[in-house]
Amino acid sequence: MSGPRMLEGVRVLDLSRVLAGPWCGQLLADYGADVIKVERPGTGDDTRAWGPPWHGEGTNRVAAYYLSANRGKRSIAVDIAAADGATLVRELARHADVLLENYKVGQLARYGLDAASLMALNPRLVYCSITGFGQDGPMAATAGYDFAIQATGGLMSITGEKDGTPGSEPQKVGVAVADLFTGMYATTAILAALHERSRTGRGRHIDAALLDAQVAMLANQASNHLVGGVTPRRMGNAHVNIVPYQVFKTRDGHLVLATGNDAQFRRVCKLAGHAEVGTDPRYARNEDRIARRDELVAMIALWMGERTTAEWIALFEPESVPCAPILTVPQVFDHPQVRHRGMRIDVDGVPMVAAPMRVDGERPVADHRPPALDEHGQAIRAALASGKGWPAP
């Protein structure tokens, strides 16, 4: 099951664990890179034990969490604190194009596996360090976890129900978005460094911090503060800059209504049987609707309760009014568009989510399942011992 292998020939040494680094490594593997994952002997990546749910049984049992971020890699168990373990990693790094790591700042220097040491050994190496707070600054030594980064980076202050409403408190996002975005940002930086290396012949040390990525992800909310001097607040499912743009309760469920401009708002009003509201000077422009948000949303909420979710979608979609039902995860994978796009795949019997990009009509997806702990260790050690360098896949 492999599509375009755009990174074929690129060798990636993945010393990372949990999510941000492994997510980056999996994406590089999907694009065709040869990724060797270095894990702790005995336990491996922490997420191997983050179950249930589990896949497999007995000694082959592995958590679904681990499976989500380690497709297409080979695994070797190495104790990097031991002299022979550090030597093995150095030898792999000598032949690698990319190294991923998410150890605490300074920890790998104890074993001669830091960026300066390995890039002196291999000047072409693109060395990517992923940490919570970056390689410098007053919190550089602090361990960083997605949940804490969502809090420190401001995301939780704008996520959750509005103050004064039931259930009002800061909320994290339902997946580890700081980890995932950092992994994605790291991937783009690695690809840029590889492109530059094709001209210069030299690698780069990439400093990827979850906090930096989280602050960048604040996007328009950060700009609202920097430009407008406002302090963004939690607004539940409402949008700070657009009205109406939120969840409404229908006769039988809920509907996302995402009107992005004045013309769409007028169509909503007309289709709901209240065309006069769409041209009312109090609501005609978005800035007016923001000023009268509460009264307008209360009015629309009454309209939305008159029909089912499916009935509203049948009215709105043909007229290009952005709207959507709220699906559960099982419903997502049963959705006809998701099924058509082939987003659920099976890799060697392991059900997984496909890489989201298509290239010339094909998805680049690594063609083997996430590895068992040390599954390829013997072959990798044998290749290194024979003097062949980086072991062939």
Side-chain angles (χ1 to χ4, degrees):
M1 170 181 302
S2 70
R5 301 188 62 79
M6 298 168 289
L7 293 182
E8 188 167 12
V10 174
R11 298 165 170 177
V12 179
L13 187 58
D14 185 358
L15 274 64
S16 68
R17 58 203 184 279
V18 186
L19 190 53
W23 194 255
C24 173
Q26 176 171 269
L27 185 53
L28 295 173
D30 281 338
Y31 289 160
D34 179 16
V35 182
I36 292 179
K37 183 177 178 71
V38 176
E39 303 188 66
R40 286 191 302 259
T43 57
D45 191 311
D46 298 2
T47 61
R48 286 184 180 274
W50 285 11
W54 308 98
H55 184 271
E57 298 178 355
T59 57
N60 294 322
R61 187 178 79 164
V62 63
Y65 197 117
Y66 173 82
L67 297 176
S68 73
N70 289 285
R71 175 175 59 238
K73 304 176 186 180
R74 293 185 281 169
S75 171
I76 181 171
V78 179
D79 180 4
I80 66 169
D84 60 342
T87 298
L88 186 151
V89 171
R90 275 194 293 273
E91 185 61 22
L92 287 171
R94 183 193 301 274
H95 301 282
D97 297 292
V98 178
L99 185 146
L100 300 172
E101 62 91 4
N102 62 350
Y103 285 80
K104 290 183 179 179
V105 174
Q107 189 170 353
L108 288 179
R110 304 175 193 170
Y111 317 118
L113 302 177
D114 55 301
S117 298
L118 294 184
M119 293 177 74
L121 185 69
N122 176 5
R124 292 176 56 82
L125 183 65
V126 175
Y127 189 111
C128 181
S129 299
I130 299 176
T131 58
F133 296 94
Q135 296 294 301
D136 51 32
M139 296 187 69
T142 306
Y145 300 91
D146 178 273
F147 198 172
I149 297 297
Q150 288 194 38
T152 305
L155 184 59
M156 290 180 65
S157 76
I158 56 174
T159 305
E161 293 299 326
K162 185 178 180 180
D163 282 339
T165 58
S168 173
E169 65 176 13
Q171 293 285 328
K172 69 178 181 65
V173 179
V175 293
V177 290
D179 273 331
L180 297 173
F181 266 79
T182 304
M184 294 296 293
Y185 274 118
T187 301
T188 63
I190 288 167
L191 295 177
L194 289 173
H195 178 71
E196 180 192 51
R197 192 188 70 174
S198 69
R199 302 193 312 271
T200 67
R202 300 193 65 83
R204 290 279 192 177
H205 182 199
I206 296 167
D207 175 3
L210 269 69
L211 181 63
D212 295 355
Q214 176 59 81
V215 173
M217 287 163 53
L218 292 174
N220 62 295
Q221 295 280 27
S223 189
N224 287 344
H225 165 65
L226 295 173
V227 174
V230 301
T231 300
R233 304 291 186 186
R234 296 188 307 280
M235 298 187 64
N237 287 310
H239 195 292
V240 64
N241 296 117
I242 313 172
V243 177
Y245 197 104
Q246 64 185 76
V247 173
F248 287 98
K249 189 172 182 179
T250 65
R251 185 188 297 171
D252 66 344
H254 294 86
L255 176 77
V256 166
L257 183 61
T259 53
N261 57 52
D262 297 340
Q264 289 176 356
F265 174 67
R266 288 193 295 272
R267 291 200 295 274
V268 167
C269 296
K270 181 179 179 181
L271 292 167
H274 300 277
E276 73 284 356
V277 176
T279 56
D280 189 319
R282 294 174 296 173
Y283 311 122
R285 298 180 304 167
N286 183 64
E287 60 188 278
D288 300 319
R289 295 193 292 276
I290 289 176
R292 296 174 174 82
R293 178 191 299 268
D294 291 344
E295 63 188 66
L296 178 60
V297 167
M299 187 188 311
I300 296 173
L302 292 176
W303 304 348
M304 293 297 106
E306 296 172 355
R307 290 183 172 90
T308 67
T309 299
E311 288 169 342
W312 281 120
I313 291 174
L315 273 177
F316 287 154
E317 282 192 343
E319 299 298 325
S320 299
V321 172
C323 62
I326 299 173
L327 303 182
T328 64
V329 174
Q331 288 172 329
V332 168
F333 285 101
D334 197 42
H335 191 283
Q337 184 66 16
V338 175
R339 291 166 65 94
H340 174 82
R341 296 286 291 178
M343 285 303 297
R344 183 202 186 278
I345 58 174
D346 285 272
V347 182
D348 291 342
V350 178
M352 304 191 75
V353 181
M357 296 294 106
R358 277 191 179 181
V359 180
D360 294 334
E362 293 185 276
R363 292 199 187 280
V365 177
D367 56 5
H368 49 275
R369 58 169 172 73
L373 178 60
D374 202 39
E375 179 176 345
H376 308 92
Q378 183 176 349
I380 292 171
R381 290 185 179 88
L384 292 175
S386 69
K388 295 180 180 178
W390 186 274

